[in-house]
Amino acid sequence: MNTDNGLLGGITAQAQKKAEKIIQNAQVRSDQIIADAVEKSKHDVMLEEKSYTGRVATEGLKLEASKRSIARKVQLEILNRRYTQLLENVREKVLSTLQGKEGEAVLCSWILEAVLGLGLDKAKISFCISTPVNEEMLRKVEKMALDKYDLTIALQLDSRRLLAPGVVATSLNGKISFNNQVDVRMRRFDRDLKVAVQEGSCPQE
């Protein structure tokens, strides 16, 4: 009987030790799992923070780009309106000058410019009814060419009438011409007018 009790006690003690070992190992594994989970959680939080910071930075850059784009569009619209207004002001001033006391002198200079641009010594001049040209003016232009440039030219009036103010010099055979109408002249100076608007209205970036 005592033998049985001793044997049973040994088995129980051995089982107890084995159970304690199992519990100990389980505790170690549990602690490691918890530690790994905490570390992973920290890592995930860090990645999420980086991702969030990146998204915030990206959205910030998009917002700034959008602001700059809107500001540029507004600036361009302002410049365009000012350019359009300047163009209209210049056109009105030119038309007013042509129909005033200085109109004849201006038209004569335009005729001479057109003839010189044409590069011929003979040409016919067409004009608009609102900015009329006569034979006397052609003689003045011929004299101007001789006095200023030592060029002998012969001009005659064209039977055609222009629809817009200004003059056009055409070769006698009608094949080539030089247009000095108001709107065409203004288009030639389009770049200069735009530069004037930008320099006067747009600060350097």
Side-chain angles (χ1 to χ4, degrees):
M1 188 69 175
N2 289 333
T3 302
D4 292 339
N5 288 338
L7 181 60
L8 182 59
I11 293 173
T12 300
Q14 187 177 4
Q16 182 68 30
K17 287 181 180 181
K18 187 174 182 180
E20 289 176 355
K21 184 66 175 176
I22 291 173
I23 291 172
Q24 184 180 6
N25 291 338
Q27 185 64 49
V28 171
R29 289 199 300 273
S30 176
D31 291 343
Q32 186 61 49
I33 290 172
I34 292 173
D36 291 345
V38 170
E39 190 63 29
K40 185 176 185 306
S41 177
K42 290 180 179 179
H43 182 68
D44 290 345
V45 169
M46 182 181 66
L47 290 179
E48 183 61 28
E49 287 178 348
K50 286 184 177 180
S51 177
Y52 175 75
T53 302
R55 290 198 299 272
V56 170
T58 299
E59 291 303 318
L61 291 174
K62 288 182 179 179
L63 179 60
E64 289 302 317
S66 179
K67 287 180 180 179
R68 287 196 298 271
S69 177
I70 292 173
R72 185 59 180 164
K73 287 179 180 178
V74 170
Q75 185 183 56
L76 289 175
E77 179 62 24
I78 291 173
L79 288 176
N80 185 58
R81 289 182 182 180
R82 289 178 178 173
Y83 170 71
T84 300
Q85 184 61 53
L86 174 63
L87 207 62
E88 186 58 31
N89 291 344
V90 171
R91 189 174 191 280
E92 288 179 1
K93 184 173 180 60
V94 170
L95 291 176
S96 176
T97 300
L98 289 178
Q99 294 168 0
K101 294 180 180 180
E102 300 176 358
E104 181 176 315
V106 172
L107 283 174
C108 285
S109 68
W110 285 12
I111 292 171
L112 180 57
E113 181 185 63
V115 173
L116 294 176
L118 198 62
L120 299 175
D121 57 3
K122 294 182 180 180
K124 50 187 178 181
I125 308 300
S126 53
F127 58 89
C128 178
I129 295 177
S130 63
T131 52
V133 174
N134 54 44
E135 292 286 350
E136 183 181 352
M137 291 170 65
L138 296 186
R139 302 294 81 79
K140 286 182 179 180
V141 174
E142 291 171 351
K143 187 175 186 306
M144 287 168 61
L146 185 61
D147 292 343
K148 287 186 177 183
Y149 303 103
D150 196 27
L151 292 176
T152 300
I153 60 175
L155 305 178
Q156 64 186 56
L157 292 175
D158 197 327
S159 59
R160 296 179 304 161
R161 293 294 172 266
L162 304 175
L163 298 178
V167 295
V168 173
T170 307
S171 60
L172 297 183
N173 60 14
K175 290 185 177 181
I176 57 174
S177 63
F178 189 100
N179 193 324
N180 243 351
Q181 291 174 274
V182 173
D183 291 340
V184 175
R185 283 181 62 84
M186 290 184 66
R187 283 198 293 273
R188 288 195 196 114
F189 296 103
D190 180 75
R191 178 178 175 81
D192 294 332
L193 291 173
K194 286 182 177 177
V195 169
V197 171
Q198 290 174 350
E199 290 182 347
S201 308
C202 179
Q204 294 295 323
E205 296 183 3

